């Protein structure tokens, strides 16, 4: 891929330095209960109501693995082309923090659930034509772990003196997905996270709600001289919970790394935080190493065994993935890759599009109307596709009327606006407002003659060879009918009369 621009970094520096990025993504699994106990995972419940002796780490309690969490983790692994290990194992990662009541986090360490996968990103950023290129990003590992509690240091009247902790989140099931250091720009990192989020949503592994913290990202970044084989020293920016922060933090770090190296300094390997208000990363702690955590196998849990039969069963039940859906849309419906990308953005939108086509609308027309008329109105109304006031079959009915010439596309759009507003079917609106297309040849000829008679100057221009004024005549006739005249008939009639 060609050198990409990075905001804030001088292009000549980017010709000499190459950024290297690897992401560690945490996604909350869509389970009703926690990973090792039966407590609810519901978001937004009153603090410290979804807790029990197991997730609070009281003595004498035993964790039991949630089978559904394991199943979802296997599904994610397979969707990301990873090898699911026959045998994996939980470990204890020991450290103290008030959000970790046991004094350790149960996480997979030396025997992760799955390894060696990849995710293909479609990278459009560099090209204005959006045809883009694609690139495979390696996935090092995918493993299961429990979330910690939520410490709240701000927002209370006594926050200057006290902190609060909500243990509801303690023990919520997570998968951690670690990428290879294959990403080369903030834009590629953005594309990777977007694509990964889409796969996790399609497979219903996670709802990936970033505001609720169910998708979080740590970014590892370094720079090296272009052409150098060895990677530079990396820093890790923790807990980036939005796409924008990820990009901004990476831009900032890349500029900082290059600045340090250019001035003859060295990058300290460390963990940093994104300071949102100041728009910069700040040191949080010096880099910790695996041995600092005194990992050892979790004695209270058996090794995790995944049979070939179970894996095959999960594979069989796998929904169609975004890439396959896009390819099928292009092939089956003859729509452009760009349109396929928009329509397959979410499963709900893709299903809507296919339902419109199944109800009899031509695919390309459906693709256009959904992308322009429907998505724009949904966005303005702040609605999801699932809340669309126009059902797929109702849109198909309207498009069939347009396609058969019973109403013009222009009136169709007005009818659609009314359908969106009122939820009424197209036929009812057309009957009430009298917007059927005017295809009466006599009526159209009368209107054409009127327009010609009223514009002798333009008639002269046209006859002198100025073809451009033809559009003027068409426009006048269409306007006289408030957009309801059959455009083809208007064209033919004018051609004949202007001769
Ligand atoms: P650590 O031991 O610090 O946890 P890992 O090797 O486990 O490091 O890698 C953690 C993440 O950092 C991975 O996503 C990996 O791709 C990325 N990474 C590793 N080395 C580099 C580097 N030099 N520059 C950028 N990212 C890197
Ligand atoms: Zn519990
Ligand atoms: Mg690591």
């Amino acid at each position: 891929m060609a050198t990409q621009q990075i905001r804030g970094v001088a292009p000549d520096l980017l010709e000499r330095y190459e950024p290297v990025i690897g992401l560690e993504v945490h996604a909350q699994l869509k389970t009703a209960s926690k990973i090792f106990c039966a407590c609810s995972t519901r978001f937004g419940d009153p603090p410290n109501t979804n807790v029990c002796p197991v997730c609070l780490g009281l003595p004498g309690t035993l964790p039991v693995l949630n089978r559904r969490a394991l199943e979802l983790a296997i599904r994610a692994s397979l969707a990301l082309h990873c090898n699911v290990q026959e045998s994996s194992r939980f470990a204890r990662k020991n450290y103290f923090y008030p959000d970790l009541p046991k004094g350790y986090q149960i996480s997979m360490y030396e025997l992760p659930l799955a390894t060696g996968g990849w995710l293909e990103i479609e990278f459009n950023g560099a090209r204005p034509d959006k045809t883009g290129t694609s690139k495979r990003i390696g996935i090092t590992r995918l493993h299961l772990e429990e979330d910690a509690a939520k410490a709240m240091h701000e927002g209370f009247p006594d926050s200057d003196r006290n902190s609060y902790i909500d243990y509801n989140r303690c023990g919520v099931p997570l998968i951690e997905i670690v990428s290879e250091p294959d990403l080369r720009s903030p834009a590629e990192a953005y594309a990777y996270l977007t694509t990964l989020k889409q796969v996790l949503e399609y497979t219903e592994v996670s709802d990936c709600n970033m505001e609720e913290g169910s998708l979080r990202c740590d970014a590892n970044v370094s720079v090296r001289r272009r052409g150098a084989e060895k990677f530079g020293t990396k820093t890790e920016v923790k807990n980036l919970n939005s796409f924008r922060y990820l990009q901004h933090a990476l831009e900032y770090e890349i500029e900082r790394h290059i600045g340090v190296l250019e001035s003859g300094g060295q990058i300290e390997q460390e963990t940093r935080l994104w300071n949102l208000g100041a728009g910069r990363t700040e040191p949080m702690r010096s880099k910790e190493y695996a041995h600092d955590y005194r990992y050892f196998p979790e004695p209270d849990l058996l090794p995790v065994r995944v049979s070939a039969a179970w894996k095959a069963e999960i594979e069989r039940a796998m929904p169609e993935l975004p890439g396959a859906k896009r390819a099928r849309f292009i092939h089956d419906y003859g729509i452009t890759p760009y349109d396929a990308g928009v329509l397959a953005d979410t499963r709900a939108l893709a299903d809507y599009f296919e339902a419109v086509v199944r109800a009899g609308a031509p695919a390309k027309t459906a693709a256009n109307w959904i992308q322009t008329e429907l998505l724009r109105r949904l966005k303005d109304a702040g609605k999801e596709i699932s809340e669309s006031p126009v059902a797929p079959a109702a849109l198909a009915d309207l498009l069939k009327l347009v396609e058969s010439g019973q109403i013009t596309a222009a009136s169709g759009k007005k009818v659609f606006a009314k359908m969106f507003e009122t939820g009424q079917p197209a036929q009812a609106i057309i009957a009430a407002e009298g917007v059927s297309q005017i295809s009466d040849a006599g009526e159209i000829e009368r209107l054409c003659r009127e327009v010609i008679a009223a514009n002798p100057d333009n008639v002269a221009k046209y006859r002198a060879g100025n073809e451009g004024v033809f559009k003027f005549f068409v426009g006048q006739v269409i306007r006289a009918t408030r957009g309801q005249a059959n455009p083809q008939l208007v064209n033919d009639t004018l051609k004949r009369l202007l001769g």
Side-chain angles (χ1 to χ4, degrees), residues 158-173:
D158 56 351
S159 283
D160 57 331
R161 281 164 292 128
N162 295 320
S163 285
Y164 290 83
I165 303 181
D166 178 5
Y167 287 98
N168 283 356
R169 194 147 92 193
C170 207
V172 158

Side-chain angles (χ1 to χ4, degrees), residues 451-452 455-474 490-499:
V451 169
I452 288 169
N455 294 281
D457 292 0
N458 279 331
V459 174
K461 276 190 206 158
Y462 179 75
R463 295 205 166 125
N466 183 345
E467 304 255 331
V469 291
F470 189 74
K471 278 204 214 91
F472 162 81
F473 289 109
V474 177
V490 173
N491 260 285
D492 295 347
T493 311
L494 281 170
K495 279 250 161 68
R496 179 163 55 77
L497 295 177
L498 287 166

Side-chain angles (χ1 to χ4, degrees), residues 70-106:
L70 176 58
E71 183 185 339
L72 291 177
I74 296 170
R75 195 191 290 168
S77 305
L78 295 174
L80 296 170
H81 312 95
C82 291
N83 302 307
V84 175
Q85 304 300 306
E86 227 166 274
S87 180
S88 48
R89 186 163 74 187
F90 285 100
R92 288 188 182 179
K93 181 182 185 182
N94 298 281
Y95 65 99
F96 168 78
Y97 198 73
D99 66 7
L100 195 69
K102 296 196 294 293
Y104 56 85
Q105 179 196 25
I106 303 181

Side-chain angles (χ1 to χ4, degrees), residues 20 22-24 178-181 220-222 231-232 234 287:
V20 171
L23 298 187
E24 295 168 273
V178 182
S179 88
E180 289 289 308
N220 298 270
V221 53
S222 64
F231 287 145
K234 73 174 156 83
K287 167 70 189 166

